């Protein structure tokens, strides 16, 4: 059996950020970063832009660090390595190749996988679920052959894929979405309808108020059927119906709740010495209250760095975080800051949509919960971040003062 001071399960951005956090405070401890994918950690959000667009680039362009960085920082990266078991009483993990690793501290950073709806035909050829570099490379190859593309879903992944694929020559893209606008949760109904017009003007066909019933074809996709009884022909389908946490390693234990792995404000689980970060972590939200799990790149970076520092034993940092993420479609760059998990009761629009420069404030009653920015400068975003960070605490303090 081999022994390491730190074992990190999952070599995505959460896992590699944990390594960075440890190394900041512990230069000597041995670190093993084990990842199931064949690629070293890479920028998942850049996959589409780098590989799907008109000027598709190479996989190397999306790597977070090169080999030299891992060597310089004495981090043992093992790709193509699935951790199949973890024994938290003896601090031993087992790899798919049968090797066992004894560790002092560990962090789970297993991320998510694309949700697969339980419908007929989900395994037919040319039905894609996008999560990994390999998924996107394969899609890119097939998209050169199949020009009738249907995208099921209306979230970020659906909209980004639609925007890029619709710019490829000969490709016709349709979006099948159960809503009646695009991205209404972040933009509100008025600008959600505006974004739908924007997609239509760029040649994307929108099929609203449609829920998927199944994929049809003998071995390869031919049609997509919806619950309303409609049928659309398609040579390629992308299922973009959200993600679910990869918790198979700890399935059936208190570390695998349907909404993720519970951690405390130091990102440690109830099992001493075991931390969890990224898409799987369900953490206490120090700003908006309650517990929260987010599937955002910046959250995985921030959590990894905090968990790594805490694992080193040299620091004890609370995870204090305002959710934010970005997304770019066509020439629209969106930044979303705050809590969009509950439906807003009021949207306030500022700016000029004709110039593609605006922001949308989300309120629940009089409480500002989040702001969506379209092509706005960093100062404005920073100002809103400050306002969002301070206001809920201010409100809480006032409520406490008033008893
Ligand atoms: C196509 C795409 C576009 C996105 N765009 C954006 C965006 O624009 N903005 C944004 O904020 N977020 C975006 N996201 C979400 C963002 O990428 C994730 O929130 C982030 O990658 C989460 O990091 P993570 O380390 O928790 O998980 P992941 O990045 O999923 O990495 C987890 C890794 O762990 C591995 N693993 C799982 N189980 C095991 C095991 N038992 N043993 C070993 N390894 C294991 C997995 O194979 C995977 O490589 C996007 C996601 C996708 C898929």
């Amino acid at each position: 059996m081999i022994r390491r001071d730190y074992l990190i399960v999952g070599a995505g951005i959460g896992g590699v950020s944990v390594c960075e956090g440890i190394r900041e405070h512990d230069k000597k401890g041995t670190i093993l970063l084990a990842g199931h994918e064949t690629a070293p950690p890479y920028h998942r959000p850049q996959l589409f832009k780098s590989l799907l667009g008109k000027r598709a680039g190479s996989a190397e362009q999306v790597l977070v660090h090169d080999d030299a960085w891992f060597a310089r920082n004495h981090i043992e990266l093992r790709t193509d390595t699935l951790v199949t078991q973890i024994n938290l009483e003896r601090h031993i993990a087992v790899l798919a190749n049968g090797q066992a690793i004894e560790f002092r501290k560990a962090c789970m950073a297993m991320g998510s996988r694309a949700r697969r709806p339980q419908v007929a035909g989900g395994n037919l050829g040319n039905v894609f679920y996008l999560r990994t570099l390999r998924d996107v490379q394969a899609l890119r190859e097939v998209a050169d052959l199949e020009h009738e593309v249907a995208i099921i879903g209306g979230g970020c992944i659906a909209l980004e894929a639609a925007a890029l694929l619709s710019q490829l020559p000969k490709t016709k893209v349709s979006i099948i979405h159960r809503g009646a606008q695009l991205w209404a949760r972040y933009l509100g109904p008025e600008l959600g309808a505006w974004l739908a017009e924007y997609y239509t003007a760029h040649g994307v066909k929108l099929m609203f108020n449609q829920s998927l019933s199944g994929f049809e074809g003998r071995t390869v996709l031919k049609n997509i059927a919806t619950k309303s009884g409609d049928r659309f022909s398609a040579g390629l389908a992308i299922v973009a119906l959200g993600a679910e946490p990869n918790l198979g390693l700890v399935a059936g234990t208190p570390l695998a709740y349907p909404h993720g792995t519970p951690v405390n404000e130091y990102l440690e689980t109830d099992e001493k010495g075991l931390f969890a970060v990224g898409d799987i972590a369900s953490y206490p939200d120090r700003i908006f209250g309650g517990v929260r799990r987010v599937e955002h790149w910046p959250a995985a970076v921030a959590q990894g760095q905090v968990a790594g520092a805490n694992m080193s034993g040299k620091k004890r940092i609370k995870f204090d975080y305002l959710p934010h993420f970005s997304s770019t479609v066509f020439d629209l760059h969106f930044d979303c800051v705050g809590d969009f998990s509950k439906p807003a009761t009021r949207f306030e629009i500022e700016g000029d949509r004709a110039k593609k420069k605006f922001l949308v404030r989300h309120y629940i009653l009089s409480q500002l919960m989040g702001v969506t920015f379209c092509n706005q400068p960093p100062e404005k975003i920073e100002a809103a971040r400050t306002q969002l960070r301070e206001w809920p605490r201010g409100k809480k303090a006032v409520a406490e003062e008033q008893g």
Side-chain angles (χ1 to χ4, degrees):
M1 183 174 326
I2 63 167
R3 290 184 176 78
R4 297 289 180 266
D5 290 312
Y6 305 100
L7 170 68
I8 321 300
V9 185
I13 187 60
V16 76
S17 302
V18 172
C19 298
E20 292 172 6
I22 295 171
R23 272 293 171 261
E24 180 110 345
H25 305 283
D26 178 355
K27 304 286 180 218
K28 295 219 177 89
T30 49
I31 305 178
L32 171 57
L33 173 62
H36 188 31
E37 290 184 63
T38 43
Y42 56 85
H43 287 270
R44 230 173 265 288
Q46 285 176 20
L47 283 180
F48 287 177
K49 200 158 58 143
S50 301
L51 301 175
L52 283 192
K54 276 189 284 192
R55 285 185 295 275
S58 69
E60 282 70 41
Q61 289 172 337
V62 293
L63 297 185
V64 176
H65 295 299
D66 58 13
D67 292 348
W69 183 88
F70 287 96
R72 210 167 46 245
N73 286 285
H74 305 289
I75 293 160
E76 181 184 349
L77 168 65
R78 289 210 206 171
T79 53
D80 234 338
T81 299
L82 180 69
V83 178
T84 55
Q85 276 193 35
I86 192 153
N87 176 335
L88 294 169
E89 285 172 12
R90 292 196 182 274
H91 279 213
I92 290 171
V94 176
L95 309 182
N97 68 2
Q99 192 171 31
I101 319 273
E102 189 179 351
F103 57 84
R104 205 162 54 77
K105 291 188 181 163
C107 184
M108 301 198 299
M110 288 97 71
S112 315
R113 58 180 178 273
R115 184 170 288 127
R116 289 179 174 241
Q118 297 301 309
V119 296
N123 291 324
L124 286 175
N126 289 359
V127 177
F128 282 83
Y129 304 84
L130 300 182
R131 182 74 200 175
T132 65
L133 174 63
R134 284 194 162 176
D135 295 334
V136 181
Q137 284 172 321
L139 171 69
R140 176 67 199 178
E141 300 275 330
V142 176
D144 283 340
L145 306 172
E146 301 290 348
H147 300 123
E148 204 176 10
V149 178
I151 300 180
I152 296 114
C156 281
I157 289 190
L159 297 191
E160 286 183 14
L164 285 163
L165 291 170
S166 66
Q167 294 173 57
L168 295 179
K170 295 194 268 182
T171 302
K172 292 270 166 264
V173 177
S174 309
I175 292 180
I176 298 174
H177 178 39
R178 64 177 181 192
Q181 298 104 13
L182 289 182
W183 237 39
R185 193 205 299 191
Y186 298 99
L187 292 175
E190 192 181 327
L191 285 169
W194 171 83
L195 187 64
E197 282 167 25
Y198 204 77
Y199 268 74
T200 308
H202 282 78
V204 177
K205 188 170 168 193
L206 300 175
M207 294 180 241
F208 282 147
N209 303 311
Q210 296 278 9
S211 295
L212 177 71
S213 123
F215 301 100
E216 298 175 346
R218 226 165 78 82
T219 58
V220 176
L221 175 73
K222 296 286 178 227
N223 295 308
I224 296 175
T226 65
K227 287 188 180 149
S228 57
D230 289 317
R231 179 169 279 116
F232 307 102
S233 75
L236 190 165
I238 297 172
V239 184
L241 294 172
E244 51 200 13
N246 277 328
L247 290 171
L249 181 62
V250 288
T253 76
L255 298 170
Y257 278 94
H259 293 297
T261 299
V263 290
N264 62 19
E265 47 196 359
Y266 302 99
L267 304 178
E268 191 169 13
T269 67
D270 274 351
E271 301 289 331
K272 212 168 162 18
L274 179 71
F275 292 69
V277 299
D279 282 9
I280 62 167
S282 184
Y283 64 91
D285 186 331
R286 289 169 49 78
I287 297 177
F288 292 104
V291 287
R292 185 176 303 275
R293 185 178 73 83
V294 289
E295 293 167 357
H296 301 158
W297 181 267
V301 173
Q303 289 175 358
Q305 285 167 353
V306 166
N310 291 340
M311 285 170 79
S312 76
K314 307 267 169 55
K315 290 275 164 187
R316 195 137 167 84
I317 304 172
K318 289 184 178 172
F319 182 63
D320 189 13
Y321 179 78
L322 178 70
H324 69 271
F325 70 94
S326 308
S327 182
T328 304
V329 294
F330 301 112
D331 54 352
L332 310 174
H333 178 78
F334 293 107
D335 290 284
C336 302
V337 184
D339 179 4
F340 299 88
S341 60
K342 298 181 198 78
T345 52
R346 181 164 64 89
F347 294 94
E348 194 179 271
I349 302 169
E350 184 185 303
D352 187 348
R353 74 192 74 171
K355 291 188 180 146
K356 302 175 222 171
K357 286 185 180 172
F358 56 82
L359 60 84
V360 189
R361 293 191 188 88
H362 294 230
Y363 290 91
I364 293 183
L365 304 175
S366 63
Q367 170 76 60
L368 179 69
M369 298 300 293
V371 187
T372 301
F373 300 87
C374 177
N375 294 335
Q376 293 293 300
E379 319 75 83
K380 266 198 182 173
I381 300 167
E382 208 38 57
R385 290 173 60 78
T386 309
Q387 193 186 356
L388 280 160
R389 272 191 156 275
E390 295 310 324
W391 168 232
R393 282 180 223 228
K395 192 182 173 204
K396 205 166 138 204
V398 171
E400 277 167 9
E401 269 170 32
Q402 290 171 343

